[in-house]
């Protein structure tokens, strides 16, 4: 039987689930999430995993990266900095469905922001080298999540990295307590707890990927982070 808190989280609406949410609240929440990614290691984990797929790519190359649900685009920028140390240019595209989020993604430069739906990506099959999706899958249970994963797999040429949250009551309490000294927006404080309780175990994330038809390597990282990564069938350098 599911714990009552998990039942509540499964039914609760988060600010970023609402495409009509107030623009100012959306931007404040996205900036808080970027800080969470930095403080708790989510950005570093995802960027490092993307970097692993660049082994063998020669210096001087340009590689495309699509980040679906990019938020403030902090992770693709971190990935681009790592790639630059290899002499590789990462050409980044960030996809969002809320206009305010797309503007926030583009604000820092270096990322071209697009407005679209992750369940129907506006890209040809195998047209993007690397595809990233961070902290979006837990917002899309069931068939919607499977469709997202299939779309990520369809457009990727080299690799897909999905980064999300490892569910933990301790992490839920931690994000709530940390939100006060970090001065998070009230919506971030509430939504952070919901997101953690909507997160996955490693086996759950692996199973969701399998149900979508992809065979992913799932890893745990510090800071209650989980990643699932794979090379699309027939992928090549």
């Amino acid at each position: 039987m599911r714990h009552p808190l998990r039942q509540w989280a499964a039914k609760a609406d988060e600010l970023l689930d609402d495409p009509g949410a107030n623009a100012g609240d959306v931007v404040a929440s996205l900036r808080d999430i970027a800080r969470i990614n930095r403080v708790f290691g989510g950005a570093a984990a995802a960027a490092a995993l993307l970097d692993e797929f660049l082994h063998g790519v020669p210096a001087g190359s340009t590689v495309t990266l699509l980040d679906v649900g990019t938020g403030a685009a902090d992770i693709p920028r971190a990935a681009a900095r790592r790639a630059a140390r290899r002499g590789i240019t990462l050409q980044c595209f960030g996809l969002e469905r809320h206009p305010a989020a797309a503007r926030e993604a583009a604000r820092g430069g270096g990322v071209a922001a697009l407005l679209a739906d992750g369940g129907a990506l506006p890209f040809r099959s195998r047209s993007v080298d690397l595809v990233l999706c961070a902290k979006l899958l837990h917002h899309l249970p069931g068939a919607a999540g499977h469709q997202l994963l299939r779309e990520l797999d369809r457009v990727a040429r080299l690799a897909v990295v999905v980064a999300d949250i490892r569910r933990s009551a301790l992490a839920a309490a931690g994000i709530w307590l940390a939100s006060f000294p970090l001065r998070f927006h009230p919506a971030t404080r509430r939504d952070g707890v919901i997101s953690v309780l909507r997160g996955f175990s490693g086996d759950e994330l692996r199973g969701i990927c399998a149900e979508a038809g992809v065979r992913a390597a799932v890893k745990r990282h510090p800071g209650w982070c989980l990643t699932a990564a794979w090379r699309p069938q027939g992928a090549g350098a």
Side-chain angles (χ1 to χ4, degrees):
M1 184 175 180
R2 183 179 286 183
H3 191 280
L5 281 176
R6 287 185 62 193
Q7 291 180 331
W8 165 73
K11 296 177 181 178
D13 292 323
E14 296 185 52
L15 173 71
L16 298 180
D17 290 331
D18 180 7
N22 175 271
D25 292 342
V26 167
V27 170
S29 185
L30 292 176
R31 291 176 182 176
D32 287 342
I33 292 169
R35 292 168 69 196
I36 291 170
N37 288 340
R38 182 174 68 251
V39 171
F40 292 98
L49 193 51
L50 287 166
D51 193 54
E52 290 182 15
F53 288 107
L54 295 178
H55 286 287
V57 176
S61 299
T62 296
V63 175
T64 53
L65 167 65
L66 171 65
D67 183 16
V68 179
T70 193
D74 53 304
I75 299 179
R77 290 192 181 95
R81 290 191 293 270
R82 291 186 68 111
R85 293 197 286 270
R86 292 179 178 270
I88 297 169
T89 298
L90 211 56
Q91 185 178 6
C92 300
F93 302 87
L95 186 144
E96 274 290 348
R97 66 172 185 166
H98 195 294
R103 290 193 296 269
E104 179 66 12
R107 189 180 64 87
V111 176
L114 308 171
L115 274 174
D117 183 349
L121 295 174
F123 294 90
R124 298 189 308 275
S125 298
R126 305 288 178 260
S127 62
V128 181
D129 294 317
L130 300 173
V131 178
L132 168 67
C133 182
K135 294 186 177 178
L136 177 59
L137 184 61
H138 71 266
H139 290 267
L140 300 171
H146 297 152
Q147 176 63 17
L148 170 68
L149 292 172
R150 285 191 286 267
E151 279 293 277
L152 303 179
D153 182 74
R154 179 184 66 80
V155 303
R157 190 174 72 85
L158 294 180
V160 179
V161 172
V162 174
D164 220 289
I165 304 167
R166 179 164 57 87
R167 187 175 62 253
S168 162
L170 180 60
I175 198 67
W176 173 265
L177 293 172
S179 70
F180 291 95
L182 292 173
R183 298 184 179 182
F184 287 164
H185 188 281
T188 310
R189 181 175 301 127
R190 174 182 178 274
D191 290 357
V193 173
I194 294 170
S195 286
V196 172
L197 294 174
R198 282 179 169 177
F200 309 101
S201 69
D203 286 343
E204 286 169 347
L205 181 55
R206 189 177 296 107
I208 291 167
C209 290
E211 289 165 2
V214 297
R215 190 172 180 178
V218 175
K219 295 181 181 179
R220 290 172 56 159
H221 305 266
W224 296 287
C225 300
L226 275 179
T227 59
W230 68 91
R231 291 185 181 274
Q233 186 175 2

